Amino acid sequence: MIIAVASGKGGTGKTTIAINLALSLENVQYFDCDVEEPNAAIFLKPEIHKRRSVTIPVPVIDETKCTQCKKCVDLCAYHALVLLGKKLLLFPQLCHGCGGCSYICPEDAITEQQRDIGVIEQGTAGAIDFIQGLLNVGEPMATPIIKQQRRLIDPEKVVILDAPPGTSCPVIETVRSADYVILVTEPTPFGLNDLKLAVETMRELKIPFGVVINCADIGNDEVKNYCAAERIPVLLELAWNRCIAEGYSRGQPAVTIVPDLKQDFQNMYAAILSKLCV
């Protein structure tokens, strides 16, 4: 079972839901795939046992062989290669490491070298297997790290993927292998607007999904009305709780402050299983 926890916008409580779900279940593998700003470790406090670099291949141009034919320039969809006069310029930050330029070069003027873009850390948080990605500051592409993280998925465990916020490429890369996606939202106009974007994305990807409404008692009913109209299951509604908010500011998960919440998360997991088995 692979469950991704996503949201149309940041700040809805996505990581909160993912962490507390992980702490409420057994035999769990947790992935923090928000590699630009991972923060699950603040709450799970894992012991990191392994750390390895993530690299992507970027072209190296041999100017003595290059004939300025422009085939590589025309091929590159990301404009990482530009021919300026008789000089072939490379912008490595734009390169997606597809290898097309070296493959298409008729003069074998392009080879590849590895460029470091971040790291993946593995460890344990109690009984939870913990994996997080960290994108180097200034790097524009999170997806190569998320791809490397997904290769570590253990099919014998309940896998929880804490996705980045939004609906961009890193989110797609995270959720595309999920059996089910939990979309976390809040009962506000912004929450509803971005939930609609996330719903459209999941429907396009044809991945089953449901909604968790965080701070469900401090907004309006528009999110619930939307879910009812679209026949989207509301898996869980969490009321605002000052004690939980104070604990959050100290890096304490909600289920350690209100232990009864574990049953709510376990019930939600059971409901997801039942929907997938129908």
Side-chain angles (χ1 to χ4, degrees):
M1 171 65 71
I2 302 175
I3 298 176
V5 184
S7 63
K9 65 182 288 292
T12 60
K14 169 181 57 62
T15 296
T16 295
I17 299 302
I19 287 168
N20 286 286
L21 178 60
L23 290 170
S24 302
L25 303 177
E26 296 180 354
N27 195 32
V28 170
Q29 191 180 34
Y30 188 101
F31 289 79
D32 192 340
C33 298
D34 188 3
V35 301
E36 295 180 73
E37 293 183 295
N39 64 346
I42 295 173
F43 302 93
L44 293 176
K45 300 174 177 59
E47 294 183 14
I48 301 300
H49 308 307
K50 187 176 181 181
R51 192 172 188 268
R52 64 184 181 86
S53 296
V54 178
T55 62
I56 61 170
V58 294
V60 177
I61 303 159
D62 186 344
E63 295 183 5
T64 63
K65 293 182 179 180
C66 179
T67 60
Q68 297 87 45
C69 68
K70 280 192 67 180
K71 287 186 177 181
C72 58
V73 174
D74 295 336
L75 177 72
C76 185
Y78 303 101
H79 307 293
L81 290 165
V82 176
L83 185 62
L84 190 62
K86 292 188 176 182
K87 179 74 172 179
L88 184 61
L89 301 179
L90 168 67
F91 296 90
Q93 301 291 338
L94 299 179
C95 178
H96 281 56
C98 71
C101 56
S102 61
Y103 178 80
I104 202 172
C105 180
E107 306 298 333
D108 292 327
I110 300 177
T111 55
E112 292 178 334
Q113 68 180 10
Q114 296 297 315
R115 184 168 67 84
D116 183 86
I117 63 166
V119 298
I120 291 175
E121 295 180 337
Q122 296 175 251
T124 54
I128 298 172
D129 287 347
F130 180 86
I131 298 98
Q132 73 172 359
L134 295 154
L135 185 68
N136 289 346
V137 174
E139 289 292 338
M141 291 190 300
T143 52
I145 295 181
I146 298 170
K147 285 181 181 178
Q148 292 288 332
Q149 284 182 282
R150 286 174 49 247
R151 292 177 183 174
L152 299 173
I153 287 176
D154 184 348
E156 300 298 322
K157 293 183 178 292
V158 177
V159 177
I160 296 176
L161 306 175
D162 183 359
T167 55
S168 60
C169 294
V171 179
I172 305 301
E173 185 60 42
T174 301
V175 306
R176 67 185 180 90
S177 61
D179 298 307
Y180 196 90
V181 177
I182 299 171
L183 296 177
V184 184
T185 189
E186 56 192 16
T188 65
F190 289 113
L192 176 58
N193 177 76
D194 293 334
L195 173 63
K196 290 179 179 179
L197 297 176
V199 166
E200 291 176 12
T201 303
M202 296 308 121
R203 285 176 171 167
E204 185 70 23
L205 294 171
K206 296 180 172 56
I207 302 174
F209 64 92
V211 168
V212 168
I213 305 176
N214 194 25
C215 298
D217 56 335
I218 64 172
N220 53 45
D221 291 330
E222 291 185 10
V223 169
K224 285 193 284 188
N225 294 339
Y226 166 75
C227 290
E230 294 290 324
R231 298 183 179 179
I232 300 169
V234 176
L235 304 167
L236 182 65
E237 295 182 46
L238 289 176
W240 188 85
N241 183 309
R242 183 182 179 89
C243 292
I244 291 176
E246 290 177 351
Y248 182 90
S249 69
R250 295 190 293 267
Q252 294 176 294
V255 294
T256 64
I257 298 167
V258 184
D260 290 346
L261 281 176
K262 278 192 175 183
Q263 188 62 56
D264 293 332
F265 283 99
Q266 289 166 358
N267 292 342
M268 179 176 70
Y269 179 69
I272 291 172
L273 287 178
S274 67
K275 292 179 188 301
L276 291 176
C277 293
V278 173

